[in-house]
Amino acid sequence: MQRVTILGSTGSIGVSTLDVLARHPERFEVFALTAATRWQPLLEQCLAYTPQCAVMSDPSAAEQLRQALQRSGSKVEVLSGTEALVAVAQDSSVDTVMAAIVGAAGLLPTFAAVKAGKRVLLANKEVLVMAGHLFMAAAKTHGAQILPIDSEHNAIFQCLPLAGPLAQGIALAELGVSKIVLTASGGPFRQLPLSQLSQVTPEQACNHPNWSMGPKISVDSATMMNKGLEFIEACWLFNARARDVEVVIHPQSVIHSMVEYVDGSVLAQLGNPDMRTPIAHALGMPERLPSGVERLDLVRSARLDFEALDEERFPCMTLARQAAERGGTCPAILNAANEEAVAAFLASQLQFNDIAQVIAAVLDSVESAEPVSLDAVQQADLSARQRARVAIQQISAKQ
Ligand code: NAD
Ligand code: MG
């Protein structure tokens, strides 16, 4: 019986994870579920899955959840705050932690799970972008197994020869790998005339053609910052250099990514775009578990198209590459500026095109340092957010 904590259980990945767990009650038990501020969805999950505890980062939401659970006669213990998120991530009775909080808010609890040597199912890519070096080193030191949930990275993982090159520092060349190919759908605006990009609404940006996801990653997919973050994520997870990773547009999202070998073989992982596949893969490893995902019908899919990435349309991809090349805390600065800009876009304070502008301004003005500790990374995150808010105000005042 594996005991599982889900950090961010009320989100898109959290809900998919619970769906897979519920298909295998003989294997998995839910230890803790967590959410940010909306307590009603967490209440429903607590009643359906009876975890040992529930954590809300917001204390007043936690109090409302506590009272509602008491009224329902439930014994689920309710905790609140970041310390409680850390506690349920590192608890000694937990085997597996699904890290599915969105953004930098997941940094401390996910790091705690790694330091406690858990099997960490990593959906929260932002934490690896911010502090990849520290994460991979801690995983090695503490014997944590990091399993990629991001569909592209899970695909690459499945196409690599060893069950666990992650965190072991094996160079791709030693595995006979010549290249990693990250596929990208191109998002909802792949073919929109460039002149119309400034007018797109948050609703249009969140309407992804193939995937149903939370709002932040949906906007990231529309700007392609998502692919930029994934590019950095791939470098850390697979010990790859920037030149080992190529990005290719594949609008159907059927091939989730590929690995090219020196003999010319290219291995790909295919499937319907449904996150329950990578989730079930990582939960079951080394076994395969039914996930509830509809089977891929190749005849109905009919076509697999590929295109080069247009960096004029998607400047965020270029910004991410540059931040990765500059190293230090630049990726953390990039990530923080992006989180602030996306939040402002979702709140209709910023136009879509301005997201890249804000990030570029922040990268130009916040100094990068060596990411020697989580403190240094958090400091970079904080400075970048302050600078981003100024840039957002300046840009929105002009509109
Ligand atoms: P979401 O917005 O649907 O859910 C986010 C979850 O995090 C919610 O449970 C929310 O309560 C919690 N949360 C948000 N802010 C928090 C805070 N400040 N403190 C504590 N908890 C907080 O997001 P999602 O689409 O499920 O994505 C989660 C992560 O997985 C992201 O990092 C995303 O990039 C990654 N990911 C998602 C998908 C997908 O298909 N949705 C695919 C690949 C990777
Ligand atoms: Mg992805």
Side-chain angles (χ1 to χ4, degrees), residues 293-307:
V293 173
E294 195 188 330
R295 294 298 146 88
L296 179 63
D297 181 337
L298 282 170
V299 173
R300 207 175 71 200
S301 306
R303 290 180 58 148
L304 301 176
D305 293 319
F306 303 95
E307 295 167 12

Side-chain angles (χ1 to χ4, degrees), residues 144-391:
Q145 196 181 13
I146 297 185
L147 298 177
I149 294 300
D150 217 342
S151 56
E152 295 77 2
H153 305 74
N154 184 271
I156 293 160
F157 185 48
Q158 293 197 44
C159 295
L160 284 173
L162 299 176
L166 300 169
Q168 288 171 19
I170 301 172
L172 285 176
E174 287 176 56
L175 303 172
V177 172
S178 47
K179 190 165 74 182
I180 281 174
V181 182
L182 275 181
T183 53
S185 69
F189 307 138
R190 182 173 60 94
Q191 293 175 315
L192 194 75
L194 282 179
S195 60
Q196 290 177 27
L197 269 184
S198 61
Q199 298 310 319
V200 301
T201 63
E203 200 187 3
Q204 289 169 316
C206 288
N207 189 15
H208 196 279
N210 308 333
W211 296 95
S212 156
M213 309 181 285
K216 192 262 178 183
I217 183 176
S218 296
V219 176
D220 283 350
S221 300
T223 61
M224 288 276 276
M225 178 54 91
N226 185 48
K227 213 48 57 181
L229 300 177
E230 290 184 354
F231 167 80
I232 300 172
E233 183 186 12
C235 290
W236 287 120
L237 282 175
F238 305 115
N239 198 18
R241 298 158 303 179
R243 64 173 181 275
D244 299 330
V245 185
E246 181 184 324
V247 175
V248 99
I249 302 274
H250 164 49
Q252 291 90 359
S253 299
V254 166
I255 293 185
H256 298 305
S257 276
M258 298 174 254
V259 175
E260 182 196 87
Y261 288 86
V262 288
D263 61 5
S265 297
V266 179
L267 301 194
Q269 186 256 355
L270 287 73
N272 278 323
D274 185 324
M275 290 307 291
R276 290 176 299 175
T277 294
I279 291 167
H281 172 258
L283 279 172
M285 240 192 77
E287 282 174 66
R288 294 277 177 174
L289 301 180
S291 63
V293 173
E294 195 188 330
R295 294 298 146 88
L296 179 63
D297 181 337
L298 282 170
V299 173
R300 207 175 71 200
S301 306
R303 290 180 58 148
L304 301 176
D305 293 319
F306 303 95
E307 295 167 12
L309 183 133
D310 172 358
E311 295 207 9
E312 188 196 349
R313 179 179 290 273
F314 298 116
C316 284
M317 184 66 226
T318 315
L319 291 169
R321 252 184 224 287
Q322 287 167 349
E325 278 160 17
R326 283 166 64 189
T329 49
C330 279
I333 293 167
L334 170 96
N335 177 67
N338 181 55
E339 284 191 29
E340 292 294 322
V342 170
F345 169 70
L346 285 170
S348 302
Q349 290 160 4
L350 205 61
Q351 290 185 348
F352 184 77
N353 282 343
D354 295 335
I355 295 174
Q357 269 201 48
V358 169
I359 300 165
V362 175
L363 278 169
D364 279 346
S365 56
V366 177
E367 226 165 287
S368 168
E370 277 312 303
V372 284
S373 63
L374 275 195
D375 278 351
V377 170
Q378 284 178 301
Q379 191 49 53
D381 174 86
L382 214 65
S383 311
R385 281 175 201 274
Q386 283 164 352
R387 179 66 187 87
R389 285 187 202 122
V390 173

